[in-house]
Amino acid sequence: AQKVTQAQTEISVVEKEDVTLDCVYETRDTTYYLFWYKQPPSGELVFLIRRNSFDEQNEISGRYSWNFQKSTSSFNFTITASQVVDSAVYFCALSVGNQGGKLIFGQGTELSVKP
Amino acid sequence: GAGVSQSPSNKVTEKGKDVELRCDPISGHTALYWYRQSLGQGLEFLIYFQGNSAPDKSGLPSDRFSAERTGGSVSTLTIQRTQQEDSAVYLCASSSTGGTEAFFGQGTRLTVV
């Protein structure tokens, strides 16, 4: 069975702080994909990143970076110099095989960035 | 269209009534998904359509739930004899193939009173 765990339910930081959101996954499949989605107060889930199980290279996109480590089954997400607009619920998700949109979601981490 | 479109955005219904929720995927996307988001259960997969293949219904919580996709495009999720525990936000997503990232609509907030 597959499972995604986001142990941090809520995180509160002050603007310009760096923050890391943790994600741990479980699967027996060798081919799988990992995702991060952002859900702002408006409610729509916004795709941030997709990673396949064969590519452990870390990725940076502006203030966002992702650290994928198969050895610890983790796919952590770091926001550098956080901004108030980063306030949202962030979901980590897993899909296996060729079913990219059939996602197993973690419970989400609510990030609050205060000015 | 530019994005996944869902209608209605809000629906209030009486317990026991049937409801239909509609999803218009991104044009050209072959895969379509329905999810449910509720406070107690988080985000749950419901059903997945991929091209002309038989849908993956493994996430439907009961036989009161059904979905169809006509012409490989628009999808309708139907809940029969609604119960209060069906109250949730129902999210639709589509992707260009089964193996790529899914893009979500704004959701339909269903309230059963």
Side-chain angles (χ1 to χ4, degrees):
Chain A
Q2 291 85 30
K3 184 179 179 182
V4 176
T5 301
Q6 294 179 255
Q8 305 149 309
T9 306
E10 297 178 12
I11 300 176
S12 182
V13 300
V14 177
E15 211 170 16
K16 296 184 184 174
E17 282 186 33
D18 298 348
V19 58
T20 295
L21 309 182
D22 297 333
C23 173
V24 174
Y25 63 93
E26 296 175 30
T27 180
R28 293 182 184 272
D29 291 75
T30 55
T31 301
Y32 55 88
Y33 296 87
L34 295 164
F35 302 79
W36 278 95
Y37 281 86
K38 174 182 180 180
Q39 189 174 42
S42 61
E44 185 173 351
L45 277 165
V46 178
F47 166 78
L48 295 178
I49 190 170
R50 166 179 172 259
R51 222 56 188 146
N52 74 58
S53 52
F54 301 108
D55 183 2
E56 282 192 77
Q57 197 167 13
N58 291 330
E59 183 156 339
I60 298 174
S61 176
R63 296 184 296 107
Y64 295 171
S65 62
W66 291 269
N67 184 329
F68 176 25
Q69 292 196 343
K70 289 177 77 169
S71 61
T72 55
S73 297
S74 66
F75 186 45
N76 296 337
F77 173 29
T78 298
I79 302 174
T80 303
S82 59
Q83 300 176 3
V84 172
V85 294
D86 296 327
S87 297
V89 181
Y90 290 86
F91 291 94
C92 181
L94 166 73
S95 72
V96 298
N98 194 35
Q99 298 179 323
K102 183 180 177 182
L103 299 163
I104 299 107
F105 282 93
Q107 288 298 98
T109 297
E110 182 172 5
L111 174 65
S112 176
V113 182
K114 302 192 184 307
Chain B
V4 178
S5 177
Q6 292 187 245
S7 61
S9 53
N10 281 285
K11 176 73 176 179
V12 180
T13 190
E14 291 181 355
K15 179 181 171 181
K17 294 279 178 72
D18 297 352
V19 294
E20 285 189 352
L21 313 179
R22 177 187 168 102
C23 173
D24 275 286
I26 293 172
S27 178
H29 278 191
T30 58
L32 186 147
Y33 313 82
W34 284 98
Y35 287 83
R36 177 169 72 174
Q37 185 173 25
S38 56
L39 276 176
Q41 302 297 323
L43 275 156
E44 305 172 274
F45 163 79
L46 297 177
I47 188 169
Y48 161 38
F49 297 89
Q50 172 60 60
N52 295 321
S53 303
D56 177 344
K57 305 179 183 179
S58 59
L60 294 178
S62 78
D63 58 8
R64 295 186 297 104
F65 288 72
S66 62
E68 62 177 23
R69 188 178 185 193
T70 53
S73 181
V74 171
S75 177
T76 302
L77 177 69
T78 301
I79 309 173
Q80 296 178 310
R81 305 181 302 282
T82 51
Q83 304 293 314
Q84 286 185 328
E85 62 262 29
D86 299 335
S87 295
V89 176
Y90 289 82
L91 293 162
C92 178
S94 69
S95 66
S96 56
T97 69
T100 60
E101 61 270 20
F103 295 90
F104 284 79
Q106 294 271 17
T108 294
R109 181 175 297 278
L110 175 66
T111 304
V112 182
V113 298

